[in-house]
Coordinates of all heavy atoms in Angstrom, one line a residue:
Q1 N 73.3 34.8 120.7 CA 74.4 33.9 121.0 C 75.8 34.5 120.9 O 76.7 34.2 121.6 CB 74.3 32.7 120.1 CG 73.1 31.9 120.4 CD 73.0 30.6 119.5 OE1 74.0 29.9 119.3 NE2 71.8 30.3 119.0
K2 N 75.9 35.3 120.0 CA 77.3 36.2 119.7 C 77.4 37.3 120.8 O 78.5 37.5 121.3 CB 77.3 36.6 118.3 CG 78.6 37.4 117.8 CD 78.7 37.8 116.4 CE 80.0 38.2 116.1 NZ 80.1 38.6 114.7
Y3 N 76.3 37.9 120.9 CA 76.3 39.1 122.0 C 75.3 38.8 123.0 O 74.2 39.3 122.9 CB 76.1 40.4 121.2 CG 77.1 40.8 120.3 CD1 76.9 40.6 118.9 CD2 78.3 41.4 120.7 CE1 77.9 41.0 117.9 CE2 79.3 41.8 119.8 CZ 79.1 41.6 118.4 OH 80.1 42.0 117.6
P4 N 75.6 38.1 124.0 CA 74.6 37.7 125.1 C 74.1 38.9 125.8 O 72.9 38.8 126.4 CB 75.4 36.8 126.0 CG 76.5 36.3 125.2 CD 76.9 37.4 124.2
N5 N 74.7 40.0 125.7 CA 74.2 41.3 126.4 C 73.6 42.3 125.6 O 73.3 43.4 126.0 CB 75.4 41.9 127.2 CG 76.0 40.9 128.3 OD1 75.4 40.3 129.0 ND2 77.3 40.9 128.4
A6 N 73.3 41.8 124.3 CA 72.7 42.8 123.4 C 71.4 43.2 123.7 O 70.6 42.3 124.4 CB 72.7 42.2 122.1
R7 N 70.9 44.3 123.4 CA 69.5 44.8 123.6 C 68.9 44.8 122.1 O 69.3 45.7 121.3 CB 69.4 46.1 124.2 CG 70.0 46.0 125.6 CD 70.3 47.4 126.2 NE 71.4 48.0 125.5 CZ 71.7 49.4 125.4 NH1 70.9 50.2 126.0 NH2 72.6 49.8 124.9
I8 N 68.0 44.0 121.8 CA 67.4 43.9 120.5 C 66.0 44.3 120.4 O 65.1 43.9 121.2 CB 67.6 42.6 119.9 CG1 69.1 42.1 120.1 CG2 67.2 42.4 118.5 CD1 69.4 40.8 119.5
T9 N 65.6 45.1 119.4 CA 64.3 45.4 119.2 C 63.8 44.7 117.9 O 64.5 44.8 116.7 CB 64.0 47.0 118.8 OG1 64.3 47.6 120.1 CG2 62.5 47.2 118.6
L10 N 62.8 43.9 117.9 CA 62.4 43.1 116.8 C 61.0 43.9 116.2 O 60.1 44.1 116.9 CB 61.9 41.7 117.2 CG 63.0 40.6 117.2 CD1 64.1 41.0 118.1 CD2 62.4 39.3 117.5
M11 N 61.1 44.1 114.9 CA 59.9 44.7 114.3 C 59.5 43.9 113.1 O 60.2 43.5 112.3 CB 60.2 46.1 113.8 CG 59.0 46.9 113.4 SD 59.3 48.7 113.0 CE 57.7 49.2 112.8
D12 N 58.2 43.7 113.0 CA 57.5 43.0 112.0 C 56.1 43.3 111.8 O 55.4 43.7 112.8 CB 57.7 41.5 112.2 CG 57.6 40.6 110.9 OD1 56.4 40.4 110.5 OD2 58.6 40.3 110.3
I13 N 55.5 43.2 110.6 CA 54.2 43.5 110.2 C 53.3 42.4 110.7 O 52.0 42.7 110.9 CB 54.0 43.8 108.8 CG1 52.8 44.6 108.5 CG2 54.1 42.6 107.9 CD1 52.6 45.1 107.1
S14 N 53.8 41.2 110.9 CA 53.0 40.1 111.3 C 53.0 39.8 112.9 O 54.0 39.3 113.3 CB 53.4 38.8 110.5 OG 52.9 37.6 111.0
E15 N 51.9 40.0 113.5 CA 51.8 39.7 114.9 C 52.0 38.2 115.2 O 52.6 37.8 116.2 CB 50.5 40.0 115.4 CG 50.2 39.7 116.8 CD 51.0 40.3 117.9 OE1 51.4 41.5 117.6 OE2 51.4 39.6 118.8
K16 N 51.7 37.4 114.2 CA 51.8 35.9 114.5 C 53.3 35.4 114.4 O 53.7 34.6 115.1 CB 50.9 35.2 113.5 CG 49.5 35.3 113.6 CD 48.6 34.3 112.7 CE 47.1 34.5 112.9 NZ 46.7 34.1 114.3
M17 N 54.0 36.1 113.6 CA 55.4 35.9 113.4 C 56.1 36.3 114.8 O 56.9 35.5 115.4 CB 56.0 36.5 112.3 CG 55.6 36.0 110.9 SD 56.3 34.4 110.5 CE 57.7 34.8 109.7
L18 N 55.7 37.5 115.2 CA 56.3 38.0 116.5 C 55.9 37.1 117.7 O 56.5 37.1 118.7 CB 55.9 39.5 116.7 CG 56.7 40.4 115.8 CD1 56.3 41.9 116.2 CD2 58.2 40.2 116.0
E19 N 54.7 36.5 117.6 CA 54.2 35.5 118.7 C 55.2 34.5 118.9 O 55.6 34.0 119.9 CB 52.8 35.0 118.4 CG 51.7 36.0 118.6 CD 50.4 35.4 118.3 OE1 50.3 34.2 118.0 OE2 49.4 36.2 118.3
M20 N 55.8 33.9 117.7 CA 56.7 32.9 117.8 C 58.0 33.4 118.3 O 58.7 32.8 119.1 CB 57.0 32.3 116.3 CG 55.7 31.8 115.6 SD 54.9 30.5 116.6 CE 56.1 29.2 116.6
A21 N 58.4 34.6 118.0 CA 59.6 35.3 118.6 C 59.5 35.4 120.1 O 60.5 35.2 120.8 CB 59.8 36.7 117.9
R22 N 58.3 35.8 120.6 CA 58.1 36.0 121.9 C 58.3 34.6 122.8 O 58.8 34.6 123.8 CB 56.6 36.5 122.2 CG 56.4 37.9 121.9 CD 55.0 38.3 122.1 NE 54.6 39.6 121.4 CZ 54.8 40.8 121.8 NH1 55.3 40.9 122.9 NH2 54.5 41.8 121.0
R23 N 58.0 33.5 122.1 CA 58.3 32.3 122.6 C 59.7 31.9 122.6 O 60.2 31.3 123.7 CB 57.4 31.2 121.9 CG 56.0 31.3 121.9 CD 55.4 30.1 121.0 NE 54.0 30.4 120.8 CZ 53.1 29.6 120.1 NH1 53.6 28.4 119.6 NH2 51.9 29.9 119.9
R24 N 60.3 32.3 121.6 CA 61.8 32.0 121.5 C 62.6 32.6 122.6 O 63.5 32.2 123.2 CB 62.4 32.5 120.1 CG 63.8 32.3 119.8 CD 64.3 33.0 118.6 NE 63.6 32.6 117.4 CZ 64.0 31.6 116.6 NH1 65.1 30.7 117.0 NH2 63.3 31.2 115.6
F25 N 62.2 34.0 122.9 CA 62.9 34.8 123.9 C 62.2 34.9 125.1 O 62.4 36.0 125.9 CB 63.3 36.2 123.2 CG 64.0 36.2 121.9 CD1 63.4 36.6 120.6 CD2 65.2 35.6 121.8 CE1 64.0 36.6 119.5 CE2 65.9 35.5 120.6 CZ 65.4 36.1 119.5
A26 N 61.4 34.0 125.5 CA 60.5 34.1 126.7 C 61.4 34.2 128.0 O 61.0 34.8 129.0 CB 59.6 32.7 126.8
D27 N 62.6 33.7 128.0 CA 63.5 33.7 129.1 C 64.4 35.0 129.3 O 65.3 34.9 130.2 CB 64.3 32.4 129.1 CG 63.5 31.1 129.4 OD1 62.3 31.3 130.0 OD2 64.0 30.1 128.8
T28 N 64.1 35.9 128.4 CA 65.1 37.0 128.5 C 64.3 38.4 128.3 O 63.2 38.4 127.8 CB 66.1 37.2 127.3 OG1 66.9 38.3 127.4 CG2 65.4 37.1 125.9
D29 N 64.7 39.4 129.0 CA 64.1 40.7 129.0 C 64.8 41.7 128.1 O 64.7 42.9 128.2 CB 63.9 41.3 130.5 CG 65.3 41.5 131.2 OD1 66.2 41.1 130.5 OD2 65.1 42.0 132.3
Q30 N 65.8 41.3 127.4 CA 66.6 42.1 126.5 C 66.0 42.3 125.1 O 66.5 43.1 124.4 CB 68.0 41.3 126.3 CG 68.8 41.3 127.6 CD 69.9 40.2 127.3 OE1 70.2 39.4 128.2 NE2 70.8 40.4 126.3
V31 N 64.8 41.7 124.9 CA 64.3 41.8 123.5 C 62.9 42.6 123.7 O 62.1 42.3 124.5 CB 64.0 40.5 123.0 CG1 63.3 40.5 121.6 CG2 65.3 39.7 122.8
Q32 N 62.7 43.5 122.8 CA 61.4 44.3 122.7 C 60.8 44.1 121.3 O 61.5 43.6 120.3 CB 61.7 45.8 122.8 CG 62.3 46.3 124.1 CD 62.5 47.8 124.2 OE1 62.8 48.4 123.2 NE2 62.3 48.4 125.3
Y33 N 59.5 44.2 121.3 CA 58.7 43.8 120.1 C 57.9 45.0 119.6 O 57.3 45.6 120.3 CB 57.9 42.6 120.4 CG 58.6 41.5 120.9 CD1 58.6 41.4 122.4 CD2 59.2 40.5 120.3 CE1 59.4 40.3 123.0 CE2 59.9 39.5 120.8 CZ 59.9 39.4 122.2 OH 60.7 38.3 122.8
V34 N 57.8 45.2 118.3 CA 57.2 46.3 117.7 C 56.4 45.7 116.5 O 57.0 45.2 115.6 CB 58.0 47.5 117.2 CG1 57.1 48.5 116.7 CG2 58.7 48.1 118.4
V35 N 55.0 45.7 116.6 CA 54.2 45.3 115.5 C 54.0 46.4 114.6 O 53.3 47.3 115.1 CB 52.9 44.6 115.9 CG1 52.0 44.1 114.8 CG2 53.2 43.5 116.8
G36 N 54.4 46.4 113.4 CA 54.2 47.5 112.4 C 54.9 47.3 111.2 O 55.7 46.5 111.0
D37 N 54.6 48.4 110.3 CA 55.3 48.4 108.9 C 56.5 49.4 109.1 O 56.4 50.6 109.3 CB 54.3 48.9 107.9 CG 54.8 49.0 106.6 OD1 56.0 48.9 106.3 OD2 53.9 49.1 105.6
Y38 N 57.7 48.8 108.9 CA 58.9 49.7 109.2 C 59.1 50.7 108.1 O 59.8 51.6 108.1 CB 60.1 48.8 109.3 CG 60.5 47.9 108.3 CD1 61.0 48.3 107.1 CD2 60.3 46.5 108.5 CE1 61.5 47.4 106.1 CE2 60.6 45.7 107.4 CZ 61.2 46.0 106.4 OH 61.6 45.2 105.3
T39 N 58.3 50.7 106.9 CA 58.4 51.7 105.9 C 57.7 52.9 106.3 O 57.9 54.0 105.6 CB 57.8 51.2 104.6 OG1 56.5 50.9 104.7 CG2 58.5 49.8 104.1
K40 N 56.8 52.8 107.3 CA 55.9 54.0 107.7 C 56.2 54.3 109.2 O 55.7 55.4 109.6 CB 54.5 53.5 107.6 CG 54.1 53.3 106.1 CD 52.6 52.7 106.0 CE 52.4 52.3 104.6 NZ 50.9 51.8 104.5
H41 N 56.9 53.5 109.9 CA 57.1 53.8 111.4 C 57.9 55.1 111.6 O 58.9 55.3 111.0 CB 57.7 52.5 112.0 CG 57.7 52.6 113.4 ND1 56.6 52.4 114.3 CD2 58.9 52.8 114.3 CE1 57.0 52.5 115.6 NE2 58.3 52.8 115.6
A42 N 57.6 55.7 112.6 CA 58.3 57.0 113.0 C 59.3 56.5 114.1 O 59.0 56.5 115.2 CB 57.4 58.0 113.6
F43 N 60.5 56.2 113.7 CA 61.6 55.8 114.5 C 62.1 57.0 115.4 O 62.3 58.0 114.8 CB 62.7 55.0 113.8 CG 62.3 53.8 113.2 CD1 61.9 53.7 111.9 CD2 62.2 52.6 114.0 CE1 61.6 52.4 111.4 CE2 61.9 51.4 113.4 CZ 61.5 51.2 112.1
T44 N 62.4 56.7 116.7 CA 63.0 57.8 117.4 C 64.3 57.5 118.1 O 65.1 58.3 118.7 CB 62.0 58.3 118.5 OG1 61.7 57.3 119.3 CG2 60.7 58.8 117.8
S45 N 64.7 56.2 118.0 CA 65.9 55.7 118.7 C 67.1 55.5 117.7 O 66.9 55.6 116.5 CB 65.7 54.3 119.3 OG 64.7 54.4 120.2

């Protein structure tokens, strides 16, 4: 809402929580989703 043009990556260990996020952002292609543990993930961006 503050940055309508933002590109956001959501990461969470719970697929079910991210399922709710996918519903929230169903009308935008600016959001990406990563299911995983961010303490172990190999980030490259």
Side-chain angles (χ1 to χ4, degrees):
Q1 292 183 41
K2 182 172 183 176
Y3 293 103
N5 298 317
R7 295 162 294 160
I8 305 183
T9 299
L10 275 59
M11 184 169 192
D12 201 277
I13 199 170
S14 170
E15 172 64 36
K16 291 187 181 298
M17 294 289 270
L18 286 181
E19 283 177 9
M20 303 302 294
R22 291 176 195 274
R23 296 182 196 178
R24 182 192 298 275
F25 302 118
D27 295 332
T28 180
D29 59 0
Q30 296 165 229
V31 180
Q32 295 181 326
Y33 309 89
V34 180
V35 180
D37 184 341
Y38 58 78
T39 66
K40 301 175 182 177
H41 188 74
F43 293 97
T44 57
S45 300

